[in-house]
Amino acid sequence: MSGLVMPAGHGRKLITKAQEITFKVTGADGSVTSCFEVMVPPGFDVGAHIHHHSQEFFYVLEGELELLAFEPTERTEDSWHDWESADGTRAVRAGRGSCMFVPPNTPHAFRNRSDEPAVMLFQSHPAPDHEHYFDEIAEIFSAGHEVDPAAVEKMRERYDVHQITPLRYEPPSAS
């Protein structure tokens, strides 16, 4: 049995309007955990969501992200930005070296509020659920036609992504 060495800058890249995802370690490599390097552009908000079966780990490599991983006292459907837990926990602005672990059934979200791209290492268990999800969502958004929200919702359900607040991408306007 052999391991896998993935040099910097290598891996299969998926580039969408909103993100650049580099597949680093996948189920096809024999791993039970998928590992991705993700560039999060300014203005990107993944929206709060849960996974009933998956667990995730995020590690900020560059830049700054706002991170959330808790059950709020009240879930709102429009935005997670003001959520607070029963013990007063709120979203955290997290810079380089910060991490977030998300067990199954935990609402979580991230967004880039800064003017600079952020880069994170993202791990998801079990493989290959998020690998297939990223491939399919990239295909949907790059098709060049109107995106059917019902089709996206069905796809998310297949991959254990249960959206609570909307995914948003509002790049800063160029001045």
Side-chain angles (χ1 to χ4, degrees):
M1 179 129 209
S2 296
L4 172 70
V5 175
M6 182 67 60
H10 287 78
R12 182 169 68 88
K13 290 193 185 312
L14 243 178
I15 300 173
T16 70
K17 259 196 306 192
Q19 291 179 298
E20 180 177 310
I21 301 163
T22 304
F23 290 61
K24 293 298 203 175
V25 179
T26 66
D29 299 316
S31 179
V32 296
T33 300
S34 302
C35 186
F36 312 91
E37 186 175 293
V38 181
M39 188 283 297
V40 183
F44 182 80
D45 179 345
V46 74
H49 59 282
I50 62 169
H51 309 287
H52 296 301
H53 308 290
S54 300
Q55 65 181 25
E56 299 176 328
F57 177 78
F58 301 82
Y59 187 89
V60 180
L61 297 169
E62 298 173 21
E64 183 179 87
L65 294 171
E66 188 168 8
L67 305 175
L68 173 135
F70 60 81
E71 183 65 56
T73 54
E74 179 185 354
R75 288 186 185 183
T76 53
E77 293 181 7
D78 183 56
S79 173
W80 57 270
H81 305 157
D82 294 322
W83 284 8
E84 187 173 336
S85 72
D87 69 0
T89 301
R90 296 182 66 87
V92 173
R93 289 191 81 155
R96 184 175 180 215
S98 300
C99 65
M100 174 172 74
F101 169 68
V102 182
N105 297 308
T106 302
H108 58 287
F110 64 85
R111 71 174 169 158
N112 184 349
R113 292 176 50 179
S114 78
D115 295 335
E116 299 294 325
V119 179
M120 69 176 170
L121 181 71
F122 167 57
Q123 293 181 314
S124 177
H125 177 83
D129 291 354
H130 270 71
E131 299 163 32
H132 297 315
Y133 173 77
F134 286 146
D135 280 332
E136 198 167 324
I137 197 115
E139 188 176 303
I140 286 170
F141 287 117
S142 66
H145 54 74
E146 187 80 16
V147 174
D148 176 8
V152 171
E153 184 60 30
K154 283 183 182 180
M155 182 217 40
R156 286 181 171 151
E157 290 290 327
R158 281 198 310 278
Y159 296 116
D160 190 30
V161 178
H162 307 277
Q163 204 72 29
I164 302 167
T165 65
L167 180 149
R168 291 183 169 101
Y169 178 43
E170 299 165 0
S173 54
S175 0

